[in-house]
Amino acid sequence: MNRELAKAKATELVDQMTLEEMVDQLRYDAPAIERLGVPEYNWWNEGLHGSARAGTATMFPQAIGLGATFDKKLLKDIGDVVSTEARAKYNEFSSQGDRDIYKGLTIWSPNINLFRDPRWGRGQETYGEDPQLITDLSIEFIRGIQGNGEHYKAAACAKHFAVHSGPEKDRHYFDAKSNMKDLWETYLPQFEAAVRVAEVESVMGAYNRVNGHPACAQPYLMEEILREKWGFQGHFVSDCWAIRDFHENHRVTKTSEQSAALALKTGCDLNCGCTYRSLLKAVKSGMVSKDFVRASAIRLFTCRYMLGMFDGSEYDDIPYEIIECAAHMALSAKAADESVVLLKNDGILPLSKETKTIGVIGPNADSRMALMGNYHGTSSEYVTVLQGVRETYPNARILYSEGCDVFEKKPDNLAREYNRITEAIAVTKKSDVVILVLGLNENLEGEEGDTGNQFASGDKIDLRFPEAQLHLMENVYKTAKENNVPVITISMTGSAMDMREADEKSAAVLQAWYPGALGGREVAKILSGEVNPSAKLPVTVYKTTEELPAFEDYSMKNRTYRYMENEAFYPFGYGLTYSDINVEAVVASTESFEDASKNGMNVKVTLKNNSDIAGTEVVQIYVKNDDSNETLHPHLAAFERIDVPAKGSSEVEIVVPCTSFTTVDDEGVRAVRGSSSTVFVGCGQPDNRTAVLTGKKSCEIKLN
């Protein structure tokens, strides 16, 4: 159903409502209006990496792992599964009269905030630290969710608009201050693409203030940019209980009525929370006009009509049985395959199937929580790394030790920790190879209030593994060296850690993120070589937090690969494979800067595989505008995954958009400036660290 028709139907319906009925429809838990045939509807549903919080569903790798795939088609397919399973649940549950939370068709995903600081606990919900990567992946995920039918299959939501990335503990009263260059160069591009290209149905505001105004009542962002400049036609929703922060924490208003009026007048249509319960009083006291209520109600019912909630849709027959079907589970496994980043390999991998004794050690080796990340659903099957190794190496003797708890050591369990370390040492001594599985889980990094102990804020204190795991690492690495036992270290986290010791003392290092319910099996397949790793880092792995600005500083100076002044330990875009694939030839459609800046450019890339192992590479194109106010380092402009057969070649043509040759000035204006650019084509960044780690350099194209 096109928006104009849906809006006409919504207007006709809303105009039959009383003021009280209209106001009630602006709550996330909208009540029924029986006299008009409007059923109750709960707008709150989640689908970050699978249909979440409403029972069984296909679980995919956490979003940061999906970012590591650099696979646009995969993200569209995953979005399609999310909406298909949400529809299946909605069809079944609503037929039974169950319209509770997490059972609707408005999916509050994806999170397209930029992962600007590795300490941010919610960074795992994002696709990484680069605007172009986030843009390209989120466009496809949104398209997958919303579908291309007459109606929306489900409605996606781009969040959290727009300058938001921690600290979690301060978010209810914090003011995130961004200059105009950073705003338009870093924080807004992915949101603009979500609105203008993907035509996302909804946008969610954040808790914090942005340059003095609460994000859910930010006039520059919500009125001037979102509605006027970008022409956003969908609905705006607050983060949950964020409007209450206006008067309780930000202190920009004094009462809930004033907060409700301010949010509504600025364009917040839907309140996740309870503050809009004061909206009726605000209208009757003259704080806000009824016209604002009516306009928001029409936008919300336009969405419901576009979902086919009143006239039916082509998706009404999607059966409940499609949930966790074989095709969906296979896609989850494929996503896990493509998400694991091989960071180091001295030749031990692939690990021979003839290995006799394999030691599996670590708190995340047999942990379901380490598979899931946050904002997850429930799977009917979980395969941990330990189980995956047992399946993949059926003829090997598997020795296992948890080694330590995932949390810090506590005074009352030091004896238990000592016994676990002793066991880990014994396993190390008796093994031909050790697989050490470290990391975090959603109890150690995530959203404020969702984690426990000293990690209650959700953010990391630094990049170190928890103290108990550092103690485990020290003992395993020491024992392994003394007994000539190679160690393969696997990090299962949602963010970058300090990997220096692991890199120095391990024969191989893998970043597995939170790989989804079936992820342990796929990690083991990568270890054995049944799957060739192909993922790339969607974030920079720093050496320490000491080289970073203060967490509270939203300036991009010295942040992410585009602006960092020190050398990365592992660079953004880096990842190894078991193949030997190199760029063999590059042909550009133009050598003119003027032409490229007006029309973009096509780059035809030929990759050659010099090995006997078929593999997949991610061709990455970076641009540096040579003589203008540009990012410190070349920025990602385009990318494509390409399969390359053993001892063969493959060719791919990549479009570099004309916007890649523009720059943003200090006033936030993006335009073509300067007269030349350098385009870098390779399998990673055009930096020295990538060249050292991979032995590969990018090809350069000069545009004058």
Side-chain angles (χ1 to χ4, degrees):
M1 179 179 294
N2 67 56
R3 185 171 292 277
E4 289 305 314
L5 177 58
K7 183 178 179 180
K9 288 176 174 285
T11 301
E12 182 181 0
L13 179 61
V14 169
D15 283 346
Q16 299 176 59
M17 297 179 189
T18 65
L19 173 62
E20 289 80 2
E21 288 170 336
M22 275 191 279
V23 166
D24 281 345
Q25 294 302 307
L26 274 53
R27 293 165 23 199
Y28 80 97
D29 51 347
I33 308 175
E34 294 183 5
R35 69 180 185 85
L36 296 177
V38 176
E40 66 176 308
Y41 183 66
N42 196 301
W43 290 80
W44 189 347
N45 201 356
E46 305 286 354
L48 184 67
H49 55 117
S51 185
R53 298 179 174 177
T56 302
T58 304
M59 183 191 299
F60 295 92
Q62 176 59 294
I64 192 66
L66 299 181
T69 69
F70 280 63
D71 191 335
K72 290 172 273 193
K73 183 182 183 303
L74 176 70
L75 267 289
K76 186 174 184 179
D77 291 343
I78 291 172
D80 180 67
V81 170
V82 170
S83 59
T84 296
E85 296 198 356
R87 269 285 175 179
K89 291 173 182 287
Y90 175 80
N91 292 343
E92 177 62 30
F93 297 154
S94 61
S95 72
Q96 299 181 40
D98 184 356
R99 301 177 183 274
D100 204 354
I101 190 171
Y102 308 132
K103 296 171 183 176
L105 296 174
T106 38
I107 312 295
W108 290 352
S109 298
N111 182 338
I112 61 173
N113 291 128
L114 184 128
F115 199 170
R116 124 198 112 84
D117 191 296
R119 290 166 287 199
W120 186 34
R122 296 192 74 178
Q124 63 177 288
E125 300 173 28
T126 76
Y127 297 133
E129 69 177 39
D130 180 76
Q132 191 66 48
L133 177 64
I134 301 169
T135 291
D136 288 355
L137 296 183
S138 61
I139 285 172
E140 297 306 319
F141 186 74
I142 290 165
R143 286 173 171 167
I145 285 180
Q146 297 190 167
N148 59 358
E150 181 183 353
H151 298 85
Y152 285 147
K153 184 184 286 186
C157 176
K159 64 183 186 185
H160 308 81
F161 192 58
V163 186
H164 172 67
S165 52
E168 284 294 295
K169 66 181 178 62
D170 300 335
R171 64 183 182 168
H172 296 288
Y173 54 85
F174 180 72
D175 187 7
K177 296 177 181 178
S178 171
N179 62 49
M180 294 298 283
K181 179 175 172 62
D182 287 342
L183 185 66
W184 285 97
E185 194 169 61
T186 294
Y187 294 115
L188 290 182
Q190 53 271 35
F191 284 96
E192 182 174 5
V195 171
R196 288 184 152 177
V197 181
E199 298 182 342
V200 70
E201 165 56 30
S202 68
V203 171
M204 178 184 285
Y207 288 105
N208 53 273
R209 277 171 287 154
V210 178
N211 293 338
H213 297 274
C216 292
Q218 224 291 357
Y220 179 65
L221 292 177
M222 295 169 63
E223 296 175 340
E224 292 187 40
I225 296 176
L226 188 61
R227 293 290 183 191
E228 295 175 18
K229 187 177 180 68
W230 296 347
F232 178 58
Q233 298 295 308
H235 67 275
F236 191 100
V237 56
S238 75
D239 209 338
C240 296
W241 282 265
I243 298 176
R244 182 176 65 186
D245 287 336
F246 290 12
H247 53 280
E248 290 192 355
N249 295 305
H250 295 306
R251 305 295 177 91
V252 298
T253 56
K254 294 181 179 179
T255 67
S256 59
E257 291 82 11
Q258 290 176 348
S259 297
L262 176 60
L264 186 67
K265 285 191 292 186
T266 315
C268 184
D269 303 303
L270 182 67
N271 176 211
C272 181
C274 55
T275 308
Y276 275 13
R277 292 181 184 272
S278 301
L279 195 53
L280 182 61
K281 185 176 178 181
V283 174
K284 289 184 175 181
S285 64
M287 294 181 186
V288 61
S289 166
K290 174 185 174 181
D291 292 342
F292 286 99
V293 178
R294 178 177 177 272
S296 289
I298 289 172
R299 280 196 281 262
L300 294 175
F301 275 94
T302 298
C303 175
R304 292 180 69 172
Y305 272 106
M306 291 181 74
L307 286 162
M309 289 185 173
F310 301 106
D311 301 326
S313 80
E314 62 269 43
Y315 308 114
D316 293 347
D317 294 328
I318 293 178
Y320 189 80
E321 292 82 356
I322 204 168
I323 294 169
E324 275 198 327
C325 66
H328 293 182
M329 298 295 272
L331 187 65
S332 174
K334 173 182 168 66
D337 289 344
E338 294 187 11
S339 71
V340 177
V341 187
L342 179 60
L343 298 174
K344 177 185 177 180
N345 183 21
D346 71 356
I348 191 172
L349 297 179
L351 184 64
S352 171
K353 288 285 189 77
E354 305 305 314
T355 306
K356 293 181 179 179
T357 305
I358 301 174
V360 182
I361 300 173
N364 277 355
D366 197 30
S367 168
R368 283 189 175 186
M369 290 192 70
L371 302 173
M372 298 189 298
N374 68 352
Y375 281 88
H376 56 79
T378 301
S379 179
S380 61
E381 179 186 7
Y382 294 86
V383 182
T384 65
V385 172
L386 175 62
Q387 184 178 342
V389 171
R390 284 181 171 144
E391 291 179 6
T392 305
Y393 293 88
N395 298 321
R397 178 182 174 124
I398 308 298
L399 303 179
Y400 169 63
S401 171
E402 187 178 25
C404 68
D405 192 81
V406 72
F407 293 99
E408 303 281 359
K409 289 189 295 185
K410 300 175 185 177
D412 60 353
N413 69 0
L414 289 180
R416 184 177 179 217
E417 291 293 344
Y418 181 78
N419 290 335
R420 286 176 171 178
I421 294 296
T422 302
E423 181 185 56
I425 291 172
V427 167
T428 303
K429 286 180 177 180
K430 305 299 181 181
S431 299
D432 296 320
V433 62
V434 165
I435 301 170
L436 180 61
V437 192
L438 307 168
L440 308 173
N441 59 37
E442 66 172 323
N443 284 339
L444 292 176
E445 61 176 348
E447 189 168 5
E448 172 248 2
D450 286 349
T451 53
N453 301 323
Q454 68 266 48
F455 301 94
S457 73
D459 297 325
K460 295 188 301 189
I461 299 169
D462 53 36
L463 306 186
R464 298 166 73 245
F465 288 97
E467 196 68 33
Q469 295 187 46
L470 293 176
H471 186 51
L472 174 66
M473 293 167 69
E474 178 186 359
N475 281 275
V476 169
Y477 291 146
K478 179 176 181 292
T479 305
K481 182 178 181 180
E482 291 171 349
N483 292 271
N484 198 29
V485 177
V487 178
I488 300 164
T489 300
I490 300 174
S491 174
M492 298 179 73
T493 64
S495 55
M497 307 295 290
D498 181 351
M499 301 298 292
R500 290 175 296 175
E501 184 177 13
D503 182 89
E504 178 188 350
K505 298 178 180 178
S506 303
V509 180
L510 295 91
Q511 177 64 48
W513 316 107
Y514 302 127
L518 307 180
R521 179 179 293 134
E522 305 312 309
V523 169
K525 287 181 180 178
I526 287 174
L527 295 177
S528 72
E530 184 177 342
V531 170
N532 191 347
S534 59
K536 304 293 182 181
L537 284 173
V539 292
T540 297
V541 176
Y542 300 90
K543 295 174 182 176
T544 68
T545 51
E546 296 172 6
E547 58 197 295
L548 291 169
F551 195 178
E552 299 78 10
D553 181 2
Y554 268 71
S555 166
M556 290 305 296
K557 180 179 172 57
N558 205 21
R559 290 195 183 280
T560 75
Y561 81 92
R562 293 181 302 148
Y563 305 96
M564 65 186 303
E565 298 167 3
N566 300 317
E567 187 179 70
F569 190 68
Y570 293 128
F572 171 91
Y574 163 73
L576 303 174
T577 77
Y578 297 149
S579 306
D580 179 15
I581 300 173
N582 292 279
V583 174
E584 185 176 46
V586 175
V587 179
S589 62
T590 182
E591 294 182 0
S592 163
F593 174 79
E594 182 179 5
D595 184 19
S597 62
K598 287 182 179 178
N599 305 308
M601 66 184 293
N602 292 356
V603 182
K604 190 177 293 184
V605 184
T606 303
L607 293 185
K608 177 68 185 300
N609 188 345
N610 298 308
S611 71
D612 294 323
I613 304 172
T616 301
E617 259 296 354
V618 179
V619 177
Q620 302 169 46
I621 299 181
Y622 293 79
V623 172
K624 177 65 176 170
N625 291 303
D626 300 326
D627 51 359
S628 59
N629 183 22
E630 171 66 301
T631 55
L632 181 62
H633 303 295
H635 61 86
L636 183 67
F639 60 89
E640 293 290 344
R641 288 174 61 91
I642 179 171
D643 299 330
V644 190
K647 294 295 185 180
S649 300
S650 293
E651 188 176 270
V652 63
E653 188 164 346
I654 302 177
V655 177
V656 181
C658 60
T659 52
S660 300
F661 304 98
T662 61
T663 59
V664 178
D665 66 14
D666 291 340
E667 303 304 314
V669 177
R670 181 177 289 279
V672 177
R673 299 181 178 88
S675 59
S676 68
S677 287
T678 305
V679 178
F680 303 88
V681 183
C683 300
Q685 278 189 65
D687 68 321
N688 290 333
R689 181 64 176 156
T690 298
V692 168
L693 289 169
T694 64
K696 304 175 185 179
K697 293 186 177 180
S698 298
C699 298
E700 294 186 17
I701 305 169
K702 291 292 293 186
L703 301 180
N704 296 303

